Amino acid sequence: LISHIGYNKNLFCIPKHYEEDLERVFIPHGLILDRTERLARDIMQDMGSHHIVALCVLKGGYKFFADLLDHIKALNQNGDKSVPITVDFIRIKSYCNDSPTEKISIVGEELCTLNGKGNLFLSLFQDIIETGRTMKALLSKLKDNEPKMVKVVSLLVKRTHRNPGYRPDYIGFEIPDKFVVGYALDYNEYFRDLNHICILKEKAKEKYKI
């Protein structure tokens, strides 16, 4: 649970083209990696020796997904037990500017590759959960593929009145209702190349608005 207002951005390395757009550094990159390593350990303990299909929700989840899988691979190589993992990707678009869109768009879905694999434990990797609407729509689609178990892993969960109470199985950080960018979280495709998770200034929303 994160309740502080973040860190002075001048204490961190920020790309110069974003310096005027950011209010504060909210979660530093090193803290993200440390928490991700712990999540990997928890997932490995819970999954036993079952084959895991790791499904990454693009685009915002790709950094979290890659770093978490790196930690799981390290545990596979150096731990007492190992878990077979295969990966897949799905792209979801549910935001325009800083507001959720009415329609959730699932792009390039290849979920048919999961058919007939009912013994698989499916882990969904998401960047941020705000209302839970996107994840519920995706979970509904996945039911057709009949995985034995579905676990949702989200880097961030936003505390907001718009969330009717949905909570993923694994949470990196719970954060206040602030619009954050960085570590692959974007605002109209900008800020994905920022290592830290940062709070965006209001004037930056206007600058990059479409």
Side-chain angles (χ1 to χ4, degrees):
L1 177 64
I2 294 181
S3 58
H4 68 82
I5 58 171
Y7 304 90
N8 188 325
K9 64 185 179 183
N10 295 326
L11 299 173
F12 298 88
C13 294
I14 302 290
K16 288 201 175 295
H17 53 280
Y18 290 148
E19 281 182 349
E20 299 305 313
D21 302 322
L22 304 173
E23 194 173 303
R24 296 180 72 81
V25 170
F26 197 53
I27 311 178
H29 187 237
L31 182 56
I32 297 169
L33 294 181
D34 195 70
R35 179 68 184 125
T36 302
E37 184 176 8
R38 178 54 195 255
L39 283 174
R41 192 166 69 180
D42 291 344
I43 291 167
M44 286 284 285
Q45 287 175 347
D46 294 346
M47 289 300 179
S49 58
H50 297 283
H51 179 186
I52 300 173
V53 174
L55 183 62
C56 175
V57 180
L58 297 172
K59 296 180 182 177
Y62 83 86
K63 282 281 290 177
F64 176 51
F65 182 73
D67 288 336
L68 190 54
L69 280 192
D70 280 345
H71 289 307
I72 290 176
K73 284 191 295 182
L75 290 169
N76 265 344
Q77 292 168 0
N78 304 313
D80 296 330
K81 64 177 183 178
S82 63
V83 177
I85 298 175
T86 53
V87 301
D88 216 329
F89 301 88
I90 187 166
R91 182 180 171 192
I92 295 180
K93 185 170 179 58
S94 59
Y95 265 78
C96 181
N97 298 320
D98 62 347
S99 302
T101 55
E102 287 188 18
K103 183 179 178 182
I104 297 170
S105 175
I106 300 179
V107 183
E109 53 185 296
E110 296 292 342
L111 301 181
C112 60
T113 59
L114 304 177
N115 287 339
K117 298 181 179 179
N119 63 325
L120 297 185
F121 284 66
L122 181 63
S123 290
L124 275 167
F125 295 85
Q126 168 88 340
D127 53 350
I128 185 168
I129 289 177
E130 183 170 346
T131 64
R133 192 175 62 108
T134 302
M135 189 51 64
K136 285 180 179 177
L138 182 52
L139 289 172
S140 178
K141 274 191 169 291
L142 289 170
K143 282 183 181 177
D144 297 336
N145 303 97
E146 300 180 348
K148 189 172 183 179
M149 182 186 295
V150 177
K151 295 289 188 181
V152 177
V153 188
S154 182
L155 175 63
L156 303 175
V157 170
K158 191 176 286 190
R159 298 192 303 277
T160 168
H161 67 278
R162 296 184 297 279
N163 188 332
Y166 173 78
R167 289 180 67 81
D169 301 283
Y170 301 93
I171 299 170
F173 303 94
E174 286 192 61
I175 65 171
D177 192 5
K178 298 278 189 183
F179 193 85
V180 293
V181 293
Y183 194 67
L185 282 80
D186 76 305
Y187 180 79
N188 293 334
E189 298 302 325
Y190 292 94
F191 303 101
R192 294 196 195 276
D193 53 334
L194 183 63
N195 278 338
H196 313 291
I197 292 175
C198 300
I199 299 172
L200 194 62
K201 287 182 178 178
E202 287 299 319
K203 67 178 184 180
K205 293 179 184 180
E206 288 298 317
K207 178 180 176 181
Y208 297 103
K209 192 174 182 178
I210 57 174

